[in-house]
């Protein structure tokens, strides 16, 4: 069974300067609070170890997700494209833009697509100023992506903004209704608004849900799994949020969940390939 | 054990022109996403098959709920009354009015009661303009119903409005506090705000909860059942939302839930009879 | 294993005039809806019986929590201090102030601390006017407590205000972020916003969670326990909200929960001692 990890930040290029790698204690505290040990590849910042861990976990490819934020740093799209070029068999590139200026954002999206990225990651709640996912200033950008068939990953859970209202379900619910042909992946899965985001997914068929690190042992876990095994089996995405979760342990745990084989195949790879148009 | 289905829309009169029957693919998609097969009576639009399915399920009576909305259509109160007149042993009539004009709504409520309806169904979030359940424009209508001892069914879950805020718990919480003597049944059970609506029901003793179709296999199911078997046993109502759920399969599943016998009797019929004053 | 009950209102002094004892039917209805029988000590208003029940339950000490509200009454700090002076081995005093006037509140806090209280209980949602937990008018008070290392208990669940928005997670989330060095205990545990408050606790390390009476058999119970046994084991607090729950039955039930021994020791006493600086 092929496995694609939908959210990875390998120890390469610009990622090494971001807090994910430059503040390992903070990162490892998250890892341990989820019940995992830090990945050796994360501690050693070693791509060779990471590739070994991918093999051990059975993860054939990882979606490398860029970032362009005020509070969590920037990973340039050039770096994302270069990583995919260096490891074309292992990494799928997803770019990112700062959405606070619509003209610059649209130009940067088009440039990133020209570089080969398969989707765009937006994290409006950690930009300056922070924006809700249904902020009117984002609508020209969403319209451009919908018209040009560019899938969008929205950070809509966890520390998605200055406070918990930035992950509240009404914002993504409204933009999904207003852009029904735009495939939207909610990273961090809308956590902790678990039942609410599952309702949104039940109602809006253009939403894909990927709780990634906000799943193992956390409240809401059972509801996510129930939905993944049921009505959401074609729109749930496997992701580790590496380096926050180590691939072998996370994957082993995920494969033990009570999810039927057909749904599991969808979740591990087919949904990812379909939403990215691969 | 007598069973009363608190939300049914049989294939008769005005229902046949509504989207529930005129757009069967959309309806059947819901049915299947809940793990059921469409009811033959729904597919064939056959009241005779439906009566057979009621017998098979052990459902002696169904509450036939009218509708008066901008986006989900209208079932006239005359049709509801006529259905109950044609099948007095099988159907209990509940009317509906458009709540956007208070004077017309109050007159229509009184006319419906004179026709014999046992309660009024309001769906303010799918009217034009959509109204929250605590919108001040609804308060004269609620006051009239409270003063005249007319129970109200409020659509307060699922697709209750243009976005998820229309089912958010604060709206129904406030109107329940402001009209403490008005019996209120929340159809679609406040889903997906499951724990929140259960808190509201814990605090406001004039609220009855009926998740109907938003129960089988959906996130929150365990919490609803726990409450139904505990503090909410005298205010939980069995309902299939037929034709969305087939009666025999839904009922068989419901009877298998871990609910004690006395609570189950309340939920299947006694609570329904009491709240409707029968 | 030592047990400290973090929320008790013994039948002594001013408590006897409060609704908790003067309206026993209302109180006992809550007790029964949680599946318990009223404590004999509550029914008889007997401190001797209560001390026996504490011994039977294995509860060595109780945190006696004062109150200063518009809608739930007032227990004077003098009474709290006197109870602790009369029973120094059994009760730990926590005072309370009316937070609607900042200057008077700060003076009253300092006076209470001089009397020996170990923390201050604020219940802004049941004051006049009701205040949200992040109301700007509370910020001078929070600042004073943070600067003077005085822990605060905030009523942030259950009937925390006129409607459910007073327990909504965004309010406590914001004040926790703005006062990161102020230890905050949320009484009633943020219920019913269970997953949301657990997210807030995951993100804000100055939050302690004590669902107290909003735990046994209520929706969300499993999620609280999962967190208590996991990432929240050092910030979860055992409390009965006596006289709402009887100590022997509540404690016996709590000890049967699937919580590992080390976490259980933290929850039963170590977290309480640490947050109160004892």
């Amino acid at each position: 069974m092929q496995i694609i990890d939908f959210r990875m930040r390998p120890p390469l290029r610009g990622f090494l300067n971001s807090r994910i790698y430059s503040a390992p204690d903070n990162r490892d505290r998250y890892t341990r609070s989820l019940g995992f040990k830090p990945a050796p590849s994360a501690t050693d910042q070693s791509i060779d170890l990471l590739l070994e861990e991918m093999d051990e976990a059975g993860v054939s490819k990882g979606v490398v997700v860029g970032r362009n934020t005020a509070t969590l740093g920037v990973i340039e799209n050039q770096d994302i494209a270069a990583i995919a070029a260096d490891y074309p068999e292992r990494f799928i590139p997803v770019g990112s833009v700062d959405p606070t200026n619509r003209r610059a954002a649209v130009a940067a999206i088009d440039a990133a697509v020209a570089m080969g990225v398969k989707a765009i990651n937006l994290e409006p709640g950690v930009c300056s100023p922070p924006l809700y996912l249904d902020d009117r200033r984002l609508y020209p950008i969403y319209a451009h992506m919908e018209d040009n068939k560019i899938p969008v990953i929205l950070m809509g859970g966890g520390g998605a903004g200055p406070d918990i209202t930035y992950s509240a379900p009404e914002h993504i619910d409204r933009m999904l209704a207003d852009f029904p042909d735009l495939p939207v992946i909610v990273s961090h899965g809308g956590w902790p608004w678990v039942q609410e985001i599952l309702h949104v997914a039940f109602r809006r068929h253009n939403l894909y849900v990927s709780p990634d690190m906000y799943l193992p042992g956390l409240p809401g876990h059972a509801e996510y799994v129930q939905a993944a095994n049921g009505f959401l089996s074609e729109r749930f995405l496997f992701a580790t949020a590496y380096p926050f979760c180590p691939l072998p342990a996370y994957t082993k745990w995920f494969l033990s969940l009570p999810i039927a084989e057909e749904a599991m195949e969808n979740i591990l790879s087919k949904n990812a390939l379909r939403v990215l148009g691969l």
Side-chain angles (χ1 to χ4, degrees), chain A:
Chain A
M1 214 183 277
Q2 190 188 6
I3 303 178
I4 295 175
D5 184 338
F6 209 81
R7 189 175 183 87
M8 287 188 70
R9 278 75 54 103
L12 292 170
R13 299 185 183 257
F15 286 112
L16 293 171
N17 301 323
S18 76
R19 272 178 60 80
I20 290 176
Y21 287 101
S22 68
D25 289 352
N26 181 61
R27 177 195 69 206
D28 291 350
R29 192 175 47 70
Y30 272 94
T31 302
R32 290 198 177 89
S33 69
L34 298 168
F36 292 118
K37 291 178 189 165
S41 60
T43 305
D44 290 3
Q45 304 192 356
S46 162
I47 182 64
D48 291 334
L49 278 178
L50 175 57
L51 293 172
E52 284 178 27
E53 291 165 4
M54 290 174 72
D55 290 342
E56 182 189 344
V59 171
S60 58
K61 295 192 181 196
V63 177
V64 177
V65 181
R67 163 163 278 172
N68 198 321
T69 75
T71 62
L72 297 174
V74 176
I75 315 294
E76 301 285 354
N77 292 334
Q78 285 83 348
D79 281 13
I80 300 295
I83 290 169
D86 290 345
Y87 301 89
E89 300 301 314
R90 306 312 294 264
F91 293 125
I92 299 165
V94 167
S96 189
V97 304
D98 176 352
T100 58
N101 179 308
R102 69 175 169 85
R103 283 196 189 89
V106 164
I109 288 170
D110 289 346
V113 169
M115 281 185 241
V117 307
K118 304 304 179 193
I120 294 291
N121 179 43
L122 298 181
E123 306 182 318
V126 289
C127 290
S128 178
L131 302 177
Y132 287 105
L133 296 182
D134 60 345
D135 192 289
R136 66 194 181 281
R137 289 167 284 185
L138 298 172
Y139 270 44
I141 302 172
Y142 292 152
H144 180 76
M145 298 182 80
E146 185 181 51
D147 291 348
N148 290 279
K149 301 186 188 310
I150 304 167
V152 63
I153 300 175
L154 293 177
M155 183 157 74
D163 65 52
I164 191 175
T165 62
Y166 285 80
S167 59
E170 59 264 33
H171 307 296
I172 197 164
D173 188 31
R174 289 187 192 120
M175 66 75 59
L176 287 162
D178 292 328
F179 299 98
D181 296 323
L182 175 63
V184 175
I185 300 102
V186 61
S187 67
H188 300 341
W191 193 77
W193 306 91
V194 181
Q195 287 174 185
E196 291 80 8
I197 197 75
L198 293 173
H199 155 81
V200 173
F202 190 80
R203 190 174 186 191
R204 315 288 185 204
H205 299 149
N206 49 329
L207 179 63
Y208 290 71
V209 177
S210 188
D212 51 67
M213 63 183 283
Y214 290 100
L215 188 62
L218 286 183
H221 146 256
E223 286 77 12
Y224 280 126
V225 171
Q226 184 179 24
N229 195 38
F231 76 88
L232 201 57
S233 67
E234 299 190 356
R235 292 183 283 125
F236 196 94
L237 296 165
F238 171 88
T240 63
Y242 176 89
F244 284 105
C245 298
L247 271 66
Y250 184 102
T251 306
K252 184 180 177 189
W253 169 80
F254 195 93
L255 290 171
S256 76
L257 294 173
I259 295 175
E261 187 173 339
E262 188 181 339
M264 189 62 98
E265 278 187 43
N266 288 331
I267 292 164
L268 291 178
S269 66
K270 289 184 180 173
N271 296 342
L273 294 171
R274 189 176 61 251
V275 73
L276 295 179
L278 299 175

